[in-house]
Amino acid sequence: MKNLLDKLYRNQSIIFKFFLLAISVFLIVYFFPTGGQFKYEIIKGKPWQYENLYAPFDFAILKSDEEIAAEKSRIRKTHIPYFQYDVSTAESVKNNWQEKLDISQDSLVKSDQKATEFISKTLDEIYQNGIRIQDGDDNNYSIIFLIKNKQVEELLYKDLLTQQDLKPFLISKIEGNNLSNLKNELLEIFFEVLEVNVEYDEELNQKQIQSKFEQISYTRGRVTKGSKIIAKGEIIEGEKLRMLNSLKYEYESQSLESSAFVVVITGYTCLVGLSLLMLLLFIRQYRPDIYDNNNKITFIFFNILFLVFLTLLVLRLDTDYVYVVPLCILPLTLKAFFDARLGLFTHMITVLILGLIVPDSFEYMFLQIIAGIVTILTVSELYKRANLFISVVQITLVYIFAYFAFNMIKEGSIAEINYNNFIYFLLSGVGLLFVQPLIYAYEKIFGLISDLSLLELSDTNSKLLKELANVAPGTFHHSLNVANLAEAAANEIGANSLLIRVGALYHDIGKMKNPIYFTENQTTSVSPHDELSPRESAEVIINHRLEGIEIAKRRNLPDRIIDFIRTHHGTTTVYYFYAKQKEDDEGEEITDKKDFRYPGPIPFSKETAILMMCDSVEAASKSLKEPNTQLIDDFVEKIINKQIQEDQFINANITFKEIQSIKKILKAKLNNIYHLRIEYPD
């Protein structure tokens, strides 16, 4: 039992990765659609490349979108509208019209009985059907339904008076009753008392129209089992295209039998598992440092799951919206935290997984892979806002261009292209702009570091660096010089210059604990090491590494920065005190060298290796008395060659050619620092 537990403990990292792989496969497959999968690719306007296809079962032929739209348009045109009649308004006007008159109008009514009777009779006639608002539309309704007292009456649309119809209607009534001498007074009274009491019932009409829409049949005709649908070589168009799309829809919408369901799920599991396993193997082969870090592996798989679930959610809402999902946010995010190659490979694996269930899978995968490549090629220095905006515009334009070209092939006509997808591509581009807040959230959740955070850490006005400048000004100045040298060297060989600059600024923060023990901070000729033995002095010097790590952890510096503190001396020897101890021992060989050796680890990346070279060269260059070009060249060669001989770079993925380039940069920079010039003849 103990052996089993020991074995599990030793292999816990591998067990975790396979557990993560299994959980990811399960979650993805669980949410995959489980209908039947149509095994043929349908490309409009192209010949049918497969054998003759016969109907495997009876199925209905789906109507085209144009046919459905035409039926809906006909329903709207033939729909008899409903209007609501307000009885209370009509009764109020007819019974209380005299109360609204002014003194002159009231006296006219009381003095002329005929006018009073005319007004009452005309009001009854007007409110027989009511007055409606002029709607401004050229509606050609012939008849309408008028809802009055919860009863529906059918009448001609023209029998509903509008406010504009009232004046000619009233004039004809006044003249027909021989009241032309009171025309102006009567018109003034009518316009004073009349009120609109009929309005179009928007809610009821929409319900009625929607109810009729739901009764539309989305199929026309049927194809019987065994009927030939299309022969090999026939062009996929017209009725053939409709039958093929109908058969595909039937396949994908029907529920599978239990045995078939198990088979489909097994197939999905195998393909998704194989895809994610390939990603793991890629990381293990080419990014071993990431593979060994379970937190980073979890982060990569989380991003894949997030975008797969987002795409599945959109597909369930409407397949037309599939391009709204900003899938290129995946390579953007991974490039910010890791590198472009891993970002692109992970993006392609994700696209392959989604290609199993999205419609028009080849077109989808082509567009997404092309967009992912453009994302990797165009997005650089993500912390610069202008770069992100420019890259998003380029990605969106590539989407639109590729989609347009693809559909020119499919449709054979520019007029047939669905231009609505261009809007979806624009929305996807807007979604990509949220990558910066997303990266910030990931940094807090997973404890990772991106270029955005590195830029903040590189600010020399930060609290920790200002403290370093106050407590150990010589060390701060040394760190600035190392940062400049390391950044130039990193740019020369294509390493991460921003990361190495930040690492260089913080690599010696451990010297803040005992700054006076380091020569760059000593302002007098008296050294505190004079009171210590060589072993004690070496211990103080070596301990600045451990003290730097402790300070960095207390100040919440990222692990990638702490790595520079750990490795910037590797396993080298504090040679000055080692030689002094040998001298004190009268040249005898020192048996316990570990007292004078840094504990490591040695550099394990290009960036940490560059920092070791630059730190050693910059620190030792202060001992040069009368530097010249030849002396500096020999000096740089000697220091770096010694580090190579001591195997300080065997774990770093850096080549001899790159080391030679770094030497060249350091020599040039030191020559500039010491302002060396060629010697002119007398």
Side-chain angles (χ1 to χ4, degrees), residues 7-17 294:
K7 191 173 182 180
L8 289 175
Y9 180 78
R10 287 195 302 271
N11 295 292
Q12 59 178 323
S13 180
I14 296 176
I15 294 171
F16 174 82
K17 290 178 179 65
N294 285 337

Side-chain angles (χ1 to χ4, degrees), residues 269-310:
T269 302
C270 291
L271 291 175
V272 173
L274 182 63
S275 300
L276 294 179
L277 181 61
M278 291 302 104
L279 175 61
L280 266 181
L281 293 176
F282 172 86
I283 297 172
R284 181 186 178 189
Q285 180 70 25
Y286 296 104
R287 300 293 182 271
D289 55 321
I290 296 175
Y291 181 81
D292 293 335
N293 190 319
N294 285 337
N295 182 52
K296 293 179 179 179
I297 294 292
T298 304
F299 170 72
I300 293 170
F301 274 68
F302 174 82
N303 275 274
I304 295 173
L305 290 173
F306 172 68
L307 285 167
V308 169
F309 289 158
L310 187 60

Side-chain angles (χ1 to χ4, degrees), residues 241-449:
L241 178 61
R242 290 195 184 93
M243 286 194 288
L244 286 170
N245 284 329
S246 301
L247 179 60
K248 180 181 179 181
Y249 175 80
E250 196 71 25
Y251 258 107
E252 295 176 350
S253 61
Q254 64 183 338
S255 299
L256 295 174
E257 298 177 359
S258 58
S259 59
F261 177 82
V262 172
V263 172
V264 169
I265 290 297
T266 303
Y268 276 146
T269 302
C270 291
L271 291 175
V272 173
L274 182 63
S275 300
L276 294 179
L277 181 61
M278 291 302 104
L279 175 61
L280 266 181
L281 293 176
F282 172 86
I283 297 172
R284 181 186 178 189
Q285 180 70 25
Y286 296 104
R287 300 293 182 271
D289 55 321
I290 296 175
Y291 181 81
D292 293 335
N293 190 319
N294 285 337
N295 182 52
K296 293 179 179 179
I297 294 292
T298 304
F299 170 72
I300 293 170
F301 274 68
F302 174 82
N303 275 274
I304 295 173
L305 290 173
F306 172 68
L307 285 167
V308 169
F309 289 158
L310 187 60
T311 304
L312 289 171
L313 179 63
V314 170
L315 286 174
R316 292 194 177 189
L317 294 174
D318 194 331
T319 56
D320 290 341
Y321 299 153
V322 68
Y323 287 112
V324 172
V325 179
L327 203 64
C328 288
I329 210 167
L330 177 61
L332 261 180
T333 304
L334 296 186
K335 183 181 179 182
F337 287 110
F338 305 120
D339 60 84
R341 190 177 179 186
L342 177 59
L344 181 58
F345 192 86
T346 307
H347 175 72
M348 292 177 69
I349 291 293
T350 307
V351 171
L352 289 176
I353 292 172
L354 291 174
L356 297 172
I357 46 98
V358 295
D360 297 324
S361 56
F362 179 75
E363 175 186 328
Y364 177 85
M365 289 192 293
F366 183 89
L367 263 63
Q368 295 293 6
I369 289 174
I370 289 294
I373 293 171
V374 172
T375 301
I376 293 299
L377 292 177
T378 59
V379 179
S380 60
E381 298 179 322
L382 191 60
Y383 54 86
K384 294 182 179 179
R385 289 171 294 178
N387 287 0
L388 180 61
F389 278 102
I390 293 170
S391 297
V392 166
V393 171
Q394 291 173 329
I395 293 165
T396 305
L397 290 177
V398 167
Y399 263 130
I400 293 172
F401 178 80
Y403 175 80
F404 189 81
F406 225 102
N407 281 266
M408 286 171 66
I409 298 171
K410 285 177 60 178
E411 304 294 342
S413 169
I414 295 178
E416 297 293 326
I417 295 176
N418 182 9
Y419 291 97
N420 287 336
N421 279 335
F422 291 177
I423 299 174
Y424 304 150
F425 293 137
L426 291 174
L427 292 175
S428 176
V430 172
L432 289 176
L433 296 176
F434 288 92
V435 68
Q436 288 187 335
L438 186 65
I439 287 173
Y440 178 79
Y442 282 154
E443 287 179 335
K444 299 304 178 185
I445 295 170
F446 291 94
L448 300 173
I449 184 169

